[in-house]
Amino acid sequence: MGQARAPIDQRFVGEIPWSPTRSKEPRQQIWIKADGELPDDPLLHACVITYASDMSLLDSVLGHIRSAGTTAPSCREFGSLHVFHREVHADHWLLYDMDSPIAHGGRGLARGFLFNESGQLMTSMVQEDSLEQSTHQ
């Protein structure tokens, strides 16, 4: 049997987030798009973008954890906001620029911006997560 394809094609700019030699900066960039052509339905494209953007936004918060040299916590999303500035096509390449300005007191904040290939800002998102250190060894 063949291997199943991922629904979202991701191309990391620089090293992958889990690489031991990757910069500890709480920032990353990924080129993303749906794997295949989608029907011309704006709601479907918005849903795919919402799904795709949630796949890696937390990784920028974990940059704070890597720079502190501690183990990765268990995480839970408190809330998120997604703003669509322009109609976006999920089956076209989009640059996903993410960062985390703070992770403190058991919480982390991540921001993400999706740009089309022309450099236009298409969507913005922000997410707050709970970062709980495991007490188990």
Side-chain angles (χ1 to χ4, degrees):
M1 299 198 103
Q3 188 175 19
R5 291 171 34 179
I8 306 298
D9 193 348
Q10 298 183 23
R11 310 282 172 93
F12 290 89
V13 176
E15 293 192 66
I16 56 177
W18 51 90
S19 169
T21 60
R22 183 179 184 267
S23 166
K24 307 265 189 281
E25 289 293 314
R27 179 178 185 150
Q28 68 176 341
Q29 292 182 318
I30 305 173
W31 285 97
I32 63 170
K33 76 175 191 75
D35 186 22
E37 192 173 329
L38 299 176
D40 191 20
D41 177 353
L43 181 58
L44 175 63
H45 286 265
C47 290
V48 170
I49 289 298
T50 301
Y51 169 78
S53 66
D54 199 42
M55 293 174 63
S56 50
L57 191 55
L58 178 62
D59 290 338
S60 54
V61 173
L62 296 179
H64 292 287
I65 306 304
R66 287 189 300 271
S67 66
T70 58
T71 59
S74 62
C75 302
R76 182 181 39 162
E77 183 179 324
F78 279 139
S80 62
L81 172 69
H82 204 127
V83 180
F84 288 82
H85 308 293
R86 296 178 170 88
E87 187 175 315
V88 63
H89 296 276
D91 51 359
H92 295 170
W93 283 110
L94 298 161
L95 179 63
Y96 192 15
D97 186 20
M98 297 160 276
D99 75 341
S100 174
I102 189 166
H104 179 76
R107 291 184 177 204
L109 182 71
R111 301 179 293 199
F113 304 95
L114 278 172
F115 298 90
N116 67 13
E117 290 181 281
S118 298
Q120 293 177 308
L121 179 61
M122 305 304 285
T123 70
S124 301
M125 63 275 325
V126 64
Q127 177 177 308
E128 184 181 27
D129 297 285
S130 166
L131 308 171
E132 301 171 5
Q133 287 301 124
S134 175
T135 57
H136 302 287
Q137 297 285 347

